[in-house]
Amino acid sequence: MSGYDFLNGVRVLEVAHLGPSSLGGYLADMGAEVIKIEGVDGDPVRHSSSPAIGSPDGVSFLHLRWNRGKKSVGLSLKSPGGAELFRKLAAKSDVVIEGMRAGVLDRLGLGYEDLRAVAPHLVFCSLSGLGRDGPYHTLGSHGPSFDAFGALSSTNPHSLTAAERETSNFAPVGMHAMGLNAALGTLAAVLRAKRTGHGALIEVTGAESAAHWLPEGVNTVLNEGVLHERPGFYNSAGRMALWSRLCAYETRDGQKLFFQGMYEKFWQRFCALVDRHDLQARYESGKDPADVDEEIHGELAKIFLTRDFDDWMQCFLEHDIPGGPANSPRTLASDPHFLARHNTYEMEHPGVGTLTLTGTPVKTPGQPFAPSAAPAQWEHTDDVLGNLLGIGADEVKRLRQANTVF
């Protein structure tokens, strides 16, 4: 069972490992039937990352997130019989996902050109690290390298110590953006295929997802000759003007909030709330604005230490002053706004019990988000082959003995 019903009737055939499994996960969240083809080794994302759930060799949160709502079918694509079964499944599908190094399915005779011969309507999405062509396309790649390629960060968070990870604000982009970009392209192509009967080859890479993430980024280098600094945007120290009024501060009880009094009307309301109209006068002192920003930052740091976090939040709400939590994972888990907007759901995990997991930022009235659990390896082989291809139990048993299916 998938999450919502928006894509009910859309069938997706997925051959994906690790991060590219997220594409099928997003489509399953929206209601697509996603059939995950797994070979003898299965998707390594099941046991990737730490912590493991339930036991030291338990599954990962990545697996529970990216593979939820899917059906797992064991199939050897390297065997002639397995390849033929894949073609039959593809002919009954709307989308095929190749989520490994680009070109794997081509080499097995199961690429876009091969499959469109039996299914002209098919949307084939190749989701890889570096793509189907270009000087680097034969290289292997891993998640942190996508951000390095895209000029975002060359940090591998897992190279940091536990203490460094605790205080690091690093968030990987390419590995997580690639599935979203691929979902956009795939769904657009599916809409056209439904209208015209013509499928498409869609290609998305993790490296380029990182490179295209920022609206400025490499665009500033590509267009250096026509760029001008916007007057007043940065102060003489090179910081954004009024940065102290758009900044995180610690409260009396040790929590953090993000103050957002940058616009004048909100700043005036805040100064009135704390009875500190003298703060505004500092901007009229004739001092270098960079020095004023430093002074304001120091004063705000002292002011926010005078009340507890909940007190400040109540003040912001009552006086219409923008501000909010600067959460850590621990404080986010109990944040009342996060919980009130149904950002979590519960599921039973065999041998562990009830897990509370994050759902989706997509919300729709009248439909609670409650997908089925990520499947066990090959869990749905008999069901899919029987119900979709009409293969009886005896034939499935024979195929299993021949290592064509698992």
Side-chain angles (χ1 to χ4, degrees):
M1 181 183 71
S2 47
Y4 294 139
D5 65 3
F6 299 123
L7 294 180
N8 283 5
V10 174
R11 181 174 294 125
V12 178
L13 193 58
E14 174 194 287
V15 185
H17 288 170
L18 299 171
S21 296
S22 63
L23 167 55
Y26 290 127
L27 299 179
D29 282 354
M30 295 300 110
E33 177 190 12
V34 180
I35 300 171
K36 185 178 185 70
I37 302 299
E38 300 197 69
V40 65
D41 295 325
D43 184 352
V45 81
R46 271 191 178 80
H47 302 287
S48 295
S49 80
S50 184
I53 299 168
S55 67
D57 61 349
V59 298
S60 67
F61 283 111
L62 291 177
H63 169 61
L64 297 184
R65 170 76 170 269
W66 288 342
N67 285 328
R68 66 189 176 198
K70 299 179 184 178
K71 299 175 180 177
S72 174
V73 171
L75 198 59
S76 172
L77 300 183
K78 295 181 179 180
S79 70
E84 183 58 28
L85 289 173
F86 186 87
R87 291 188 191 93
K88 291 180 178 179
L89 290 171
K92 292 179 175 290
S93 300
D94 301 284
V95 176
V96 167
I97 298 172
E98 176 190 60
M100 298 175 290
R101 198 179 302 193
V104 167
L105 292 184
D106 286 317
R107 293 190 286 275
L108 295 171
L110 300 172
Y112 174 61
E113 295 298 332
D114 303 294
L115 295 179
R116 71 186 299 200
V118 297
H121 68 283
L122 200 63
V123 173
F124 187 104
C125 184
S126 175
L127 183 59
S128 66
L130 291 163
R132 296 166 61 88
D133 56 19
Y136 308 153
H137 83 279
T138 60
L139 291 173
S141 58
H142 298 282
S145 74
F146 305 154
D147 294 341
F149 175 90
L152 297 180
S153 171
S154 57
T155 297
N156 172 9
H158 304 294
S159 69
L160 305 177
T161 66
E164 289 171 335
R165 287 195 299 274
E166 185 72 22
T167 58
S168 172
N169 288 322
F170 171 80
V173 171
M175 184 173 72
H176 297 280
M178 63 194 299
L180 290 170
N181 288 331
L184 172 63
T186 297
L187 290 176
V190 167
L191 285 175
R192 191 189 71 171
K194 295 289 187 184
R195 187 176 68 249
T196 67
H198 299 299
L201 172 62
I202 302 295
E203 186 183 2
V204 174
T205 75
E208 289 162 353
S209 292
H212 289 272
W213 187 249
L214 296 176
E216 289 87 10
V218 71
N219 282 314
T220 61
V221 179
L222 294 172
N223 301 279
E224 286 178 316
V226 298
L227 302 184
H228 301 272
E229 289 295 339
R230 191 172 302 282
F233 191 85
Y234 293 110
N235 63 29
S236 62
R239 299 189 186 212
M240 184 183 77
L242 307 181
W243 63 268
S244 59
R245 287 154 52 175
L246 192 66
C247 194
Y249 292 96
E250 187 172 340
T251 58
R252 183 170 59 189
D253 53 352
Q255 296 193 62
K256 287 188 175 181
L257 56 78
F258 202 96
F259 178 54
Q260 301 165 61
M262 188 175 69
Y263 288 118
E264 199 61 27
K265 65 178 181 179
F266 299 127
W267 174 244
Q268 295 290 352
R269 289 176 194 170
F270 177 79
C271 290
L273 169 68
V274 298
D275 195 21
R276 288 294 303 273
H277 297 283
D278 63 293
L279 296 179
Q280 180 60 30
R282 301 195 184 202
Y283 292 103
E284 302 158 6
S285 65
K287 291 183 180 180
D288 185 333
D291 295 333
V292 175
D293 280 331
E294 289 287 353
E295 290 180 11
I296 295 293
H297 180 262
E299 292 296 327
L300 290 177
K302 291 185 285 187
I303 289 170
F304 283 114
L305 284 173
T306 63
R307 306 187 192 195
D308 291 344
F309 174 86
D310 288 341
D311 293 336
W312 281 117
M313 289 300 300
Q314 189 60 39
C315 287
F316 291 161
L317 289 166
E318 290 177 357
H319 295 273
D320 189 20
I321 299 170
N327 277 319
S328 67
R330 184 163 297 280
T331 60
L332 180 60
S334 58
D335 185 286
H337 189 81
F338 181 74
L339 297 177
R341 287 187 46 77
H342 308 292
N343 282 294
T344 64
Y345 69 100
E346 292 185 347
M347 59 154 284
E348 293 299 314
H349 188 72
V352 177
T354 302
L355 295 178
T356 301
L357 301 173
T358 52
T360 172
V362 178
K363 309 293 194 300
T364 185
Q367 285 196 55
F369 184 78
S372 59
Q377 190 173 331
W378 314 329
E379 180 180 342
H380 302 95
T381 299
D382 294 46
D383 173 60
V384 169
L385 295 183
N387 292 329
L388 198 55
L389 299 184
I391 299 175
D394 290 342
E395 178 63 7
V396 172
K397 182 178 180 180
R398 187 192 68 79
L399 292 170
R400 189 168 280 122
Q401 289 173 338
N403 291 322
T404 299
V405 304
F406 306 106

